[in-house]
Amino acid sequence: MRIRRCPSPHIETGGAPLRTTQAAVASAIVCWRGNELEDLTGRREVDAVLDCAGAKESLELGFSILGKEGALTCAGLIGQSGAQVPIFPFVSGEKSYCGSFWGNHNDLTEVLALASQGLIKHHIVEVNLDDINERLDELGCGDVVGRAVVIFD
C-alpha cells in the first residue's frame, strides 16, 4: 500500500499489494519475527503505521520500520514508560507523528450516559474501501460532515 501525496492522500487498493499489506499488518500485530516484513512485502520499511496499543515496544517497532516521509499515528495515549525515538533519523527522514488524546474515564462515563439517553446526535458516513480515494478527496475539501468509517466487505 502506498499513500500518494496529490492533491490529497490516496490509497492504492485491491490486488496483491493490498493483500500483502494486510498480511504484513496482521503479522506485525500478532508477532514480529526477523525479516517477516521484508519476506511478505519485499521492503524493510513501511509508509505508514497505525499503533492502537500505545505500548513502548509497539511504538519503537513502528518508528524502526517507518520509511522516509512516513507517518506514524497512535490512537490514544502512549503508555507511562514512553518510547525512545532516535531524533536525527526521525527529523532527517522527514517522518511525522500524530497522536490523539480525549478525556478521561469520568468524561467517557458522562458521554456514554448522554448517548444512552439519546442526547448525542452524530452522523456517520460509511465508506467502502473501493471508494476510499473519492472520500479522501471530499475529506480534504471539508465536504465530510461527521465521521467517515471505512467498511471492509
Side-chain angles (χ1 to χ4, degrees), residues 13 126-138:
T13 62
E126 292 185 356
V127 178
N128 290 319
L129 187 59
D130 291 338
D131 300 328
I132 190 75
N133 290 328
E134 291 81 17
R135 299 298 88 71
L136 284 172
D137 286 340
E138 292 171 1

Side-chain angles (χ1 to χ4, degrees), residues 76-77 100-109 111:
L77 290 177
S100 64
F101 175 73
W102 182 86
N104 56 35
H105 185 318
N106 292 336
D107 295 334
L108 179 59
T109 302
V111 167

Side-chain angles (χ1 to χ4, degrees), residues 26-106:
S27 296
I29 289 170
V30 174
C31 63
W32 188 264
R33 294 188 192 113
N35 294 330
E36 193 169 7
L37 178 64
E38 187 174 10
D39 293 345
L40 288 168
T41 66
R43 298 177 57 197
R44 290 179 177 231
E45 298 176 329
V46 296
D47 300 313
V49 172
L50 174 61
D51 187 306
C52 296
K56 178 181 188 299
E57 296 80 6
S58 65
L59 286 164
E60 288 177 359
L61 170 62
F63 283 119
S64 74
I65 63 172
L66 197 59
K68 185 173 176 145
E69 297 181 359
L72 188 147
T73 298
C74 181
L77 290 177
I78 295 175
Q80 294 284 340
S81 61
Q84 296 292 322
V85 179
I87 195 69
F88 184 76
F90 188 79
V91 174
S92 66
E94 300 180 34
K95 300 173 184 182
S96 61
Y97 170 81
C98 179
S100 64
F101 175 73
W102 182 86
N104 56 35
H105 185 318
N106 292 336

